[in-house]
Amino acid sequence: MKDIMINEQRETSLEDAVEVTQIGPSTFTSTIRWDWSGMIAAHGGVLVSLAFSAGKAFMNMQYSRRDQPDPIAAHIQVLFPVLIAPVTVVIKELNMGVRVSVIQVNIQQPHPKTGEVRTCVLGILTQGNLSGEKGICLPTQPTIPREHLPSRKDCEEVVFRDVYRKTAPVIFKNRIFQPKPDRRSGPDMREYWYCRTDGFGYSTISLGQVLDAFAGAPSVYFPGEEDVNLGVRYPTLSMTSEIKKDPNGAEWLFLRIRTHKIRNGRFDTEVYVVDEEGDLVAVSKHVSLINEKRGSPSLDMSKALKL
């Protein structure tokens, strides 16, 4: 993979960032890279891709005859932030089957103060083979009909302030295009076209990152970044995802992101990913918190409630 120099540091591709090295039958190591982080901790979507990568490596090395390299379903629970440092990934077999297998993925890191090793991310992956699946198929209504996909000619690129290259470099890993203001649905539903900044196409592994590659829903209510200025954060507690098909190197993916309720400092996020033909690639459901910085003034909700 190509390396790019940004801010005098070496930027890595996603594939390099989630690469794992086996050190035992079910144990791997990896390193959280600075450019796949937000502030001091790894971005949630990158941790999902890391779990996918470790699951694939484990199945290929320990159960190659089963030919189950792909995550077809995943539940990811974030317990603690994962710092920009080495991690250990431990795999536990839960149910090894002929058609699908279920494994537990533990992403571990020492406590920054005590040094005690703890599980920071817990994942339950259902492994299968997306290209070799066979079974009954029945027609359903398209999630997002092709004719409803906005033309990229009618979209404008989302531009992030350059200061974020140091504080949240991960947001620059995708180019993001959204419908022009008069064509948007409202703050509780967002639609974006995504393509990778490095020019590579999307894979099953990189879908993990895409499924969490957007700002928390409440941020849409503060276009002037009042929330960012007051240190408000929107950490993901858990993600449950299903991969419908391998994107097979697709250059473009379209995301529809819907939030149903923002209440008492907690909110949901529902994500649908389709390709340029409108074919469903993945679905995901998130649970997230709104964390306000201690000692900071409260957010002025008057502007947000007018949207």
Side-chain angles (χ1 to χ4, degrees):
M1 299 296 173
K2 297 180 180 179
D3 289 322
I4 306 169
M5 298 299 290
I6 292 183
N7 294 333
E8 299 182 352
Q9 298 188 69
R10 189 171 298 279
E11 187 173 0
T12 55
S13 69
L14 177 69
E15 287 71 19
D16 289 339
V18 300
E19 184 178 10
V20 296
T21 300
Q22 188 175 27
I23 59 173
S26 58
T27 306
F28 302 82
T29 61
S30 187
T31 299
I32 302 302
R33 308 299 182 95
W34 72 274
D35 55 318
W36 289 95
S37 69
M39 303 303 287
I40 62 172
H43 186 262
V46 177
L47 297 173
V48 179
S49 285
L50 176 59
F52 287 179
S53 177
K56 180 177 182 177
F58 173 77
M59 294 303 296
N60 285 343
M61 293 176 181
Q62 299 298 113
Y63 292 96
S64 59
R65 291 185 179 182
R66 295 180 186 268
D67 196 18
Q68 298 170 345
D70 303 316
I72 62 174
H75 176 77
I76 305 294
Q77 190 76 39
V78 181
L79 305 175
F80 302 101
V82 179
L83 305 181
I84 304 171
V87 295
T88 301
V89 185
V90 180
I91 308 291
K92 180 181 179 182
E93 301 172 15
L94 297 181
N95 185 0
M96 311 308 290
V98 175
R99 185 175 181 182
V100 298
S101 294
V102 183
I103 58 176
Q104 178 176 311
V105 180
N106 301 288
I107 300 177
Q108 300 177 339
Q109 201 172 56
H111 188 287
K113 294 183 178 180
T114 67
E116 180 182 0
V117 175
R118 61 183 182 177
T119 295
C120 298
V121 178
L122 174 65
I124 305 295
L125 306 187
T126 302
Q127 296 288 131
N129 190 316
L130 291 169
S131 63
E133 284 186 307
K134 297 179 181 179
I136 295 174
C137 298
L138 297 171
T140 57
Q141 292 294 319
T143 303
I144 307 174
R146 182 180 180 184
E147 59 270 20
H148 291 177
L149 295 175
S151 169
R152 288 192 292 276
K153 294 180 181 179
D154 297 324
C155 296
E156 57 188 19
E157 186 166 4
V158 177
V159 179
F160 299 105
R161 289 193 294 155
D162 207 50
V163 66
Y164 291 128
R165 290 189 180 277
K166 291 185 177 180
T167 59
V170 68
I171 66 175
F172 294 93
K173 295 297 188 177
N174 296 283
R175 294 186 67 191
I176 305 171
F177 295 79
Q178 64 180 338
K180 294 178 182 178
D182 61 334
R183 296 176 179 266
R184 297 176 194 169
S185 300
D188 58 342
M189 187 172 80
R190 296 168 283 167
E191 296 183 327
Y192 300 119
W193 281 106
Y194 274 64
C195 72
R196 288 177 58 161
T197 307
D198 59 14
F200 291 95
Y202 290 104
S203 65
T204 303
I205 299 297
S206 61
L207 277 178
Q209 194 269 330
V210 172
L211 288 170
D212 196 32
F214 42 82
S219 67
V220 183
Y221 291 79
F222 303 99
E225 298 189 351
E226 296 88 350
D227 55 340
V228 175
N229 295 334
L230 291 177
V232 178
R233 296 290 179 263
Y234 308 109
T236 300
L237 290 180
S238 65
M239 288 175 57
T240 300
S241 309
E242 182 187 0
I243 310 302
K244 295 290 189 179
K245 60 177 271 187
D246 187 336
N248 280 320
E251 180 183 1
W252 292 94
L253 292 175
F254 181 78
L255 277 68
R256 176 173 287 174
I257 305 162
R258 177 71 190 271
T259 294
H260 297 278
K261 181 174 286 189
I262 305 172
R263 184 70 59 85
N264 296 325
R266 177 165 56 90
F267 63 97
D268 63 277
T269 306
E270 194 172 62
V271 186
Y272 296 96
V273 182
V274 303
D275 60 19
E276 291 186 276
E277 301 300 317
D279 196 16
L280 188 62
V281 175
V283 296
S284 187
K285 181 69 178 290
H286 305 203
V287 178
S288 304
L289 294 178
I290 304 174
N291 283 351
E292 298 183 71
K293 187 176 181 180
R294 293 181 180 178
S296 294
S298 298
L299 277 169
D300 180 2
M301 301 299 294
S302 60
K303 294 181 180 179
L305 295 176
K306 293 178 181 180
L307 290 180

